[in-house]
Amino acid sequence: MRSGRVRSGGPGEERSEMAGGANLEAQLCSEQFGSGTARGCLAAADGSLQWEAWEWRWWGLSGPCPGRARGRDGGGGGTPGTASPRLSRLLVVFLPQGFPDSVSPDYLPYQLWDSVQAFASSLSGSLATHAVLLGIGVGNAEASVSAATATWLVKDSTGMLGRIIFAWWKGSKLDCNAKQWRLFADILNDVAMFLEIMAPIYPIFFTMTVCISNLAKCIVSVAGGATRAALTMHQARRNNMADVSAKDSSQETLVNLAGLLVSLLMLPLVSACPSFSLGCFFFLTALHIYANYRAVRALVLETLNEDRLRLVLKHFLQRGEVLDPTSANQMEPLWTGFWPSLSLSLGVPLHRLISSVFELQQLVEGHQEPYLLHWDKSKSQVQVVLSQKAGPETILRAATHGLVLEALQGDGPLPRELEELRNRVLAGPDKESWVIIKETHQVLDKLFPKFLKGLQDAGWKTEKHQLEVDEWRATWLPSPEKKIL
């Protein structure tokens, strides 16, 4: 609308106000890329459309894009509203579409440290490969091709068998402790590469050493790949798991390519001096482990496994507050997460706990929830039988029940009802454990709803969990208390 124009000779303040009103009236439409800043379309004096310039945004920083917004597309190149033009093409190639809103908040710090560890691992792998080829006989005129081939086949066969056995043995447990297994896999990979570097020093044990090394690397492949898939599910926030996984592969490929180029410069320098090669390996290994620790520590998982549930419940019992996911993940043990003080088994078979009608009646008595709980105080062992009707909330309550029993044997402040039960636990014999279980059910009837609501308010996803649960389910007749109710 041309009537809204103000001559340049007017007062500055009046001119600014009138210009703003004119732009507001002349704005015909607007557009927005993802959750970026919207830009409007103004009507120019000659009747053409004039789009506002994009504002770039990169991880909390923002600013106007250089250049004027003209023409049909407004002159904006690359990915609008996401980054400056110089970075836009790079973002499209290596970051998921819609970044950073399409991924979890911990995506960028994790990927940065993961790239550092991948670069260090690539250089270490080059040193290990150089040592293995040297041990097989590459460059040695007296080496036998058939012997080298046989060594390679035995090495690969050992690794394949190890891959199958480890996947069968620990495959169902990798989701529950994804961070711990991720760190374990990378440390084991460093051990495997160290064995490969040391293998040529002892030619007699070369075949056995490289077989053990390849076995370890195949375990790393299973553990690392499975946990990476679990972490990708956590990072993808718009049903874009395939895109997140593909861009992670692109990032890793770029890092490995850089590692190969550096290795071409590094290997001629270290090949003539084994001690220098070993020193470089130890330095790269230290960097690799540190970067892995920082990457795993940067993760903030919003689902509860046993370790995180133990931390959150302990804080709730002592202070009446529920830890948020960020605080709990920072406190979660990474090195000792495989050996909890309590043996909590969810989904155990019913026949393992009972051998008579009396034992069944005693086990069922007082249980009004769709699970049965057996507590062995002397062994600090809790076994839980789940009903066919047990869902995620029931399993979460059963795990909470078991960890409450653990708290009764520990130190620290507790609510008044549990403090009285703890005094009885410390003074009473083992045969009274079923009585304690019955009374903790009554306490949890009041305590668990508050705890569950606190979890949801703090940002935890209670509709799913990462607790280790076996597939056994059972049915049983309700206890007399259940019939009366």
Side-chain angles (χ1 to χ4, degrees), residues 84-106:
S84 62
R86 297 179 180 178
L87 294 175
S88 59
R89 295 181 180 178
L90 188 64
L91 298 183
V92 171
V93 174
F94 293 105
L95 293 176
Q97 181 178 349
F99 172 86
D101 303 288
S102 62
V103 293
S104 59
D106 56 10

mmCIF file of all heavy atoms in Angstrom, residues 84-106:
data_model
loop_
_atom_site.group_PDB
_atom_site.id
_atom_site.type_symbol
_atom_site.label_atom_id
_atom_site.label_comp_id
_atom_site.label_asym_id
_atom_site.label_seq_id
_atom_site.Cartn_x
_atom_site.Cartn_y
_atom_site.Cartn_z
ATOM 1 N N SER A 84 23.782 -20.368 8.447
ATOM 2 C CA SER A 84 24.236 -19.415 7.452
ATOM 3 C C SER A 84 24.480 -20.143 6.141
ATOM 4 O O SER A 84 24.703 -21.348 6.113
ATOM 5 C CB SER A 84 25.518 -18.744 7.935
ATOM 6 O OG SER A 84 26.536 -19.711 8.100
ATOM 7 N N PRO A 85 24.451 -19.436 5.007
ATOM 8 C CA PRO A 85 24.602 -20.105 3.709
ATOM 9 C C PRO A 85 25.877 -20.935 3.609
ATOM 10 O O PRO A 85 25.896 -21.934 2.908
ATOM 11 C CB PRO A 85 24.598 -18.935 2.723
ATOM 12 C CG PRO A 85 23.816 -17.863 3.414
ATOM 13 C CD PRO A 85 24.163 -18.000 4.866
ATOM 14 N N ARG A 86 26.939 -20.521 4.281
ATOM 15 C CA ARG A 86 28.193 -21.269 4.189
ATOM 16 C C ARG A 86 28.097 -22.635 4.851
ATOM 17 O O ARG A 86 28.845 -23.551 4.526
ATOM 18 C CB ARG A 86 29.314 -20.456 4.821
ATOM 19 C CG ARG A 86 29.601 -19.135 4.114
ATOM 20 C CD ARG A 86 30.714 -18.368 4.809
ATOM 21 N NE ARG A 86 30.990 -17.093 4.134
ATOM 22 C CZ ARG A 86 31.892 -16.212 4.557
ATOM 23 N NH1 ARG A 86 32.620 -16.483 5.641
ATOM 24 N NH2 ARG A 86 32.074 -15.092 3.904
ATOM 25 N N LEU A 87 27.190 -22.769 5.833
ATOM 26 C CA LEU A 87 27.063 -24.035 6.539
ATOM 27 C C LEU A 87 25.892 -24.872 6.071
ATOM 28 O O LEU A 87 25.798 -26.042 6.417
ATOM 29 C CB LEU A 87 26.903 -23.775 8.050
ATOM 30 C CG LEU A 87 28.094 -23.161 8.783
ATOM 31 C CD1 LEU A 87 27.713 -22.872 10.226
ATOM 32 C CD2 LEU A 87 29.304 -24.072 8.729
ATOM 33 N N SER A 88 24.994 -24.267 5.300
ATOM 34 C CA SER A 88 23.740 -24.945 4.993
ATOM 35 C C SER A 88 23.961 -26.251 4.240
ATOM 36 O O SER A 88 23.342 -27.270 4.551
ATOM 37 C CB SER A 88 22.825 -24.019 4.194
ATOM 38 O OG SER A 88 23.462 -23.621 2.989
ATOM 39 N N ARG A 89 24.813 -26.239 3.223
ATOM 40 C CA ARG A 89 25.042 -27.461 2.457
ATOM 41 C C ARG A 89 25.710 -28.537 3.297
ATOM 42 O O ARG A 89 25.411 -29.724 3.156
ATOM 43 C CB ARG A 89 25.902 -27.137 1.238
ATOM 44 C CG ARG A 89 25.205 -26.215 0.240
ATOM 45 C CD ARG A 89 26.074 -25.939 -0.983
ATOM 46 N NE ARG A 89 25.400 -25.055 -1.927
ATOM 47 C CZ ARG A 89 25.941 -24.614 -3.047
ATOM 48 N NH1 ARG A 89 27.169 -25.008 -3.379
ATOM 49 N NH2 ARG A 89 25.260 -23.806 -3.835
ATOM 50 N N LEU A 90 26.595 -28.142 4.193
ATOM 51 C CA LEU A 90 27.241 -29.101 5.074
ATOM 52 C C LEU A 90 26.233 -29.741 6.014
ATOM 53 O O LEU A 90 26.300 -30.938 6.300
ATOM 54 C CB LEU A 90 28.354 -28.406 5.865
ATOM 55 C CG LEU A 90 29.269 -29.295 6.711
ATOM 56 C CD1 LEU A 90 30.060 -30.238 5.822
ATOM 57 C CD2 LEU A 90 30.208 -28.446 7.550
ATOM 58 N N LEU A 91 25.294 -28.955 6.499
ATOM 59 C CA LEU A 91 24.276 -29.480 7.406
ATOM 60 C C LEU A 91 23.402 -30.500 6.700
ATOM 61 O O LEU A 91 23.047 -31.532 7.277
ATOM 62 C CB LEU A 91 23.417 -28.332 7.942
ATOM 63 C CG LEU A 91 24.115 -27.259 8.777
ATOM 64 C CD1 LEU A 91 23.107 -26.256 9.290
ATOM 65 C CD2 LEU A 91 24.857 -27.888 9.934
ATOM 66 N N VAL A 92 23.028 -30.217 5.462
ATOM 67 C CA VAL A 92 22.160 -31.129 4.729
ATOM 68 C C VAL A 92 22.837 -32.482 4.526
ATOM 69 O O VAL A 92 22.192 -33.530 4.587
ATOM 70 C CB VAL A 92 21.771 -30.504 3.367
ATOM 71 C CG1 VAL A 92 21.050 -31.517 2.495
ATOM 72 C CG2 VAL A 92 20.892 -29.282 3.591
ATOM 73 N N VAL A 93 24.147 -32.480 4.323
ATOM 74 C CA VAL A 93 24.869 -33.719 4.025
ATOM 75 C C VAL A 93 25.087 -34.557 5.276
ATOM 76 O O VAL A 93 24.927 -35.784 5.255
ATOM 77 C CB VAL A 93 26.222 -33.408 3.354
ATOM 78 C CG1 VAL A 93 27.047 -34.674 3.176
ATOM 79 C CG2 VAL A 93 25.985 -32.730 2.012
ATOM 80 N N PHE A 94 25.418 -33.935 6.403
ATOM 81 C CA PHE A 94 25.885 -34.676 7.565
ATOM 82 C C PHE A 94 24.954 -34.637 8.774
ATOM 83 O O PHE A 94 25.220 -35.333 9.754
ATOM 84 C CB PHE A 94 27.267 -34.156 7.999
ATOM 85 C CG PHE A 94 28.350 -34.449 7.008
ATOM 86 C CD1 PHE A 94 28.850 -33.446 6.197
ATOM 87 C CD2 PHE A 94 28.853 -35.728 6.863
ATOM 88 C CE1 PHE A 94 29.849 -33.716 5.271
ATOM 89 C CE2 PHE A 94 29.847 -36.008 5.941
ATOM 90 C CZ PHE A 94 30.350 -34.987 5.143
ATOM 91 N N LEU A 95 23.896 -33.850 8.757
ATOM 92 C CA LEU A 95 22.993 -33.773 9.901
ATOM 93 C C LEU A 95 21.582 -34.134 9.475
ATOM 94 O O LEU A 95 21.188 -33.876 8.338
ATOM 95 C CB LEU A 95 23.013 -32.368 10.513
ATOM 96 C CG LEU A 95 24.324 -31.953 11.183
ATOM 97 C CD1 LEU A 95 24.240 -30.514 11.665
ATOM 98 C CD2 LEU A 95 24.669 -32.885 12.338
ATOM 99 N N PRO A 96 20.798 -34.730 10.368
ATOM 100 C CA PRO A 96 19.430 -35.125 10.013
ATOM 101 C C PRO A 96 18.579 -33.922 9.622
ATOM 102 O O PRO A 96 18.798 -32.798 10.084
ATOM 103 C CB PRO A 96 18.899 -35.781 11.296
ATOM 104 C CG PRO A 96 20.120 -36.162 12.069
ATOM 105 C CD PRO A 96 21.163 -35.143 11.738
ATOM 106 N N GLN A 97 17.620 -34.156 8.763
ATOM 107 C CA GLN A 97 16.719 -33.088 8.354
ATOM 108 C C GLN A 97 15.960 -32.559 9.577
ATOM 109 O O GLN A 97 15.476 -33.315 10.406
ATOM 110 C CB GLN A 97 15.723 -33.609 7.315
ATOM 111 C CG GLN A 97 14.751 -32.550 6.819
ATOM 112 C CD GLN A 97 13.808 -33.086 5.768
ATOM 113 O OE1 GLN A 97 13.994 -34.190 5.261
ATOM 114 N NE2 GLN A 97 12.800 -32.317 5.422
ATOM 115 N N GLY A 98 15.871 -31.243 9.669
ATOM 116 C CA GLY A 98 15.189 -30.622 10.788
ATOM 117 C C GLY A 98 16.057 -30.417 12.007
ATOM 118 O O GLY A 98 15.563 -29.992 13.051
ATOM 119 N N PHE A 99 17.366 -30.722 11.909
ATOM 120 C CA PHE A 99 18.271 -30.515 13.035
ATOM 121 C C PHE A 99 18.249 -29.041 13.453
ATOM 122 O O PHE A 99 18.227 -28.155 12.594
ATOM 123 C CB PHE A 99 19.694 -30.916 12.620
ATOM 124 C CG PHE A 99 20.753 -30.579 13.636
ATOM 125 C CD1 PHE A 99 21.028 -31.446 14.666
ATOM 126 C CD2 PHE A 99 21.458 -29.381 13.566
ATOM 127 C CE1 PHE A 99 21.989 -31.134 15.605
ATOM 128 C CE2 PHE A 99 22.418 -29.063 14.500
ATOM 129 C CZ PHE A 99 22.682 -29.950 15.518
ATOM 130 N N PRO A 100 18.233 -28.723 14.760
ATOM 131 C CA PRO A 100 18.357 -29.628 15.911
ATOM 132 C C PRO A 100 17.038 -30.087 16.503
ATOM 133 O O PRO A 100 17.033 -30.829 17.488
ATOM 134 C CB PRO A 100 19.095 -28.743 16.919
ATOM 135 C CG PRO A 100 18.563 -27.377 16.650
ATOM 136 C CD PRO A 100 18.336 -27.296 15.162
ATOM 137 N N ASP A 101 15.893 -29.678 15.916
ATOM 138 C CA ASP A 101 14.606 -29.993 16.525
ATOM 139 C C ASP A 101 14.170 -31.427 16.270
ATOM 140 O O ASP A 101 13.309 -31.942 16.979
ATOM 141 C CB ASP A 101 13.535 -29.030 16.002
ATOM 142 C CG ASP A 101 13.913 -27.581 16.252
ATOM 143 O OD1 ASP A 101 13.869 -27.153 17.402
ATOM 144 O OD2 ASP A 101 14.290 -26.894 15.278
ATOM 145 N N SER A 102 14.745 -32.079 15.272
ATOM 146 C CA SER A 102 14.339 -33.442 14.941
ATOM 147 C C SER A 102 15.126 -34.491 15.714
ATOM 148 O O SER A 102 14.885 -35.692 15.523
ATOM 149 C CB SER A 102 14.514 -33.678 13.440
ATOM 150 O OG SER A 102 15.879 -33.538 13.064
ATOM 151 N N VAL A 103 16.045 -34.073 16.562
ATOM 152 C CA VAL A 103 16.846 -35.005 17.344
ATOM 153 C C VAL A 103 16.799 -34.610 18.814
ATOM 154 O O VAL A 103 16.305 -33.538 19.167
ATOM 155 C CB VAL A 103 18.313 -35.042 16.849
ATOM 156 C CG1 VAL A 103 18.398 -35.632 15.453
ATOM 157 C CG2 VAL A 103 18.926 -33.653 16.876
ATOM 158 N N SER A 104 17.324 -35.473 19.671
ATOM 159 C CA SER A 104 17.326 -35.213 21.105
ATOM 160 C C SER A 104 18.329 -34.104 21.436
ATOM 161 O O SER A 104 19.276 -33.853 20.681
ATOM 162 C CB SER A 104 17.690 -36.488 21.869
ATOM 163 O OG SER A 104 18.966 -36.963 21.464
ATOM 164 N N PRO A 105 18.144 -33.413 22.573
ATOM 165 C CA PRO A 105 19.064 -32.316 22.922
ATOM 166 C C PRO A 105 20.510 -32.753 23.093
ATOM 167 O O PRO A 105 21.419 -31.932 22.947
ATOM 168 C CB PRO A 105 18.480 -31.798 24.247
ATOM 169 C CG PRO A 105 17.043 -32.192 24.221
ATOM 170 C CD PRO A 105 17.000 -33.499 23.496
ATOM 171 N N ASP A 106 20.743 -34.025 23.412
ATOM 172 C CA ASP A 106 22.117 -34.483 23.623
ATOM 173 C C ASP A 106 22.786 -34.956 22.330
ATOM 174 O O ASP A 106 23.896 -35.502 22.366
ATOM 175 C CB ASP A 106 22.147 -35.614 24.656
ATOM 176 C CG ASP A 106 21.247 -36.788 24.261
ATOM 177 O OD1 ASP A 106 20.756 -36.809 23.120
ATOM 178 O OD2 ASP A 106 21.024 -37.675 25.103
#
